[in-house]
Amino acid sequence: MVMTQNYDIIIVGAGLVGATLACVIAQQNTCSSLRIALIEAGADPQHFSGEQFDPRVVALTPASQHLLTKIGVWEKIVTQRACAYSDMEVWDGEGTANIHFSAAEVRQNCLGHIIENSLIVTALREQLIKHPQITLIQPATLVGLSKGERTQIALDNGATLTTDLLIAADGGHSKVRELAEFATREWDYGHTAIITTVQTELPHQATAWQRFMRTGPLAFLPLSTVDGKYFCSIVWSAEHALADELMTLNDADFCARLGFAFEHKLGKILHSATRFAVPLRQRHAKNYIQSQIVLVGDAAHNIHPLAGQGVNLGLLDVATLAQEIERAGERGIPLNDFSILRRYQRQRLTNNLLMMSAMEAFKRLFGSESLTISWLRNTGMHQLNSLTELKKIIVKAAIGLH
Ligand SMILES: Cc1cc2nc3c(=O)[nH]c(=O)nc-3n(C[C@H](O)[C@H](O)[C@H](O)COP(=O)(O)OP(=O)(O)OC[C@H]3O[C@@H](n4cnc5c(N)ncnc54)[C@H](O)[C@@H]3O)c2cc1C
């Protein structure tokens, strides 16, 4: 007979968001006696070293860095491999406009760090083991969910678990969101993102580069230099037909096309690793909460990678939800009390919606063929570049300072 296991909190998904959340909750004073289960479908991440880089990287803001420092994993990550960037260069390939953001303008050492996903997730999984109240159940996939006095979930290994609070951190295709019937607003961006690592002829100058084209944005994100060789992670968001064509090119032709699209800002593209194509969808849950169930990270919101904000928004969800759980503990409020979740949703939903709308507007502005918009874009960019105060506000928002 299979026994049902009971936990105070169950988190589904030990990706960047779920694993961070488990660590943050576990180290809070009022949460030390909570029993937390963390369910993860996948295996441990692959290890990349030398000239091999994880194709999936994130641009972490100082606010995200602060959270990872608080749970004791930041040092571990940066001593392995991370690339701080101090500048951002954004320009419009159709006109002549450009904006330059610099950390110095906001008196910071850097705007953020580009880090491989696998490195962060590995450091988090190692940290989880240090918290005896966390049980990592892996590999195990959530396959069933039933609501009741306590929420019950079923795993593909036959186990059933019950909890007062089920947290979905299971990514963009969240099974929890689907089974609990959370409504979403979704639309196709009409873009596929091609991601890969490239070696460039010239150094990246600790700069994150983004060129906007009518067919979509192209980003070059700086990576660590290895034996005097320069590497960048690229995210080339292109209309589906163009992306399909780019995926079929041989390496030499792809490097030539990429160099041309990037206006050879970093000289020739010397080498490209395996390319991956990811269709991009905007997806936002209309509500993040139901009785005893809450969505965080990509399970709640998917955003276009042009902003590099996906994980950063997820980590802000983490900080807010953990704070509400701690507050409930201090006041003796039970975990299944809906007021905890309501306070979380109130803070995060509007904030995430604002960022998603801003990114959509940015994307539409730069994807437009209209002459008026093109004129506005160029004029706006020139003016923005000279409006130091406005730029400072934008940079501070982008790096999570307010
Ligand atoms: C091309 C591209 C570039 C990007 N660049 C950036 C960037 O520069 N900066 C940034 O901040 N963000 C970026 N993002 C977004 C970022 O990758 C996501 O926001 C982030 O990975 C979300 O983290 P998460 O933990 O919520 O979800 P995920 O990383 O998707 O993790 C979900 C976890 O849940 C597990 N899981 C799924 N289903 C189940 C189940 N049924 N049972 C158990 N476990 C399950 C999965 O195995 C996985 O480990 C980019 C995204 C794309 C596509």
Side-chain angles (χ1 to χ4, degrees), residues 28 86 89 149 153 159 165 197 212 218 259 280 296 308:
Q28 294 183 150
S86 55
E89 187 72 37
E149 205 174 312
I153 62 163
L165 182 57
T197 308
F212 280 90
L218 167 61
L280 298 175
V296 292

Side-chain angles (χ1 to χ4, degrees), residues 12-19 39-43 55-60 114 117 121 125 140-143 155 169-176 193-195 221 234-235 278-280 296-299 301-305 307-314:
V12 183
L16 235 150
V17 169
I39 320 287
E40 172 53 45
R56 220 174 139 180
V57 304
V58 289
L60 283 187
I114 308 295
N117 264 43
V121 173
R125 300 237 177 118
T141 303
L142 173 136
V143 289
L155 305 183
D170 50 348
H173 300 286
S174 171
K175 193 73 182 167
V176 175
I194 297 176
I195 57 175
L221 306 173
I234 67 132
V235 183
V278 186
L280 298 175
V296 292
D298 273 24
H301 42 77
N302 271 151
I303 183 170
H304 197 287
Q309 285 302 316
V311 164
N312 297 301
L313 293 183

Side-chain angles (χ1 to χ4, degrees), residues 145 147 151 165-166 176-177 179-183 287-295 336 338 341 345:
L145 185 157
K147 302 174 193 174
T151 302
L165 182 57
L166 178 66
V176 175
R177 189 185 63 219
L179 292 173
E181 298 179 343
F182 278 86
N287 284 296
Y288 294 178
I289 58 172
Q290 287 181 10
S291 173
Q292 297 178 28
I293 308 177
V294 54
L295 311 178
N336 59 7
F338 200 53
L341 304 187
Q345 168 161 285

Side-chain angles (χ1 to χ4, degrees), residues 302-331:
N302 271 151
I303 183 170
H304 197 287
L306 78 88
Q309 285 302 316
V311 164
N312 297 301
L313 293 183
L315 293 180
L316 289 172
D317 296 348
V318 164
T320 305
L321 182 59
Q323 199 173 40
E324 290 308 324
I325 290 172
E326 185 174 37
R327 183 178 165 278
E330 283 163 1
R331 292 169 189 220

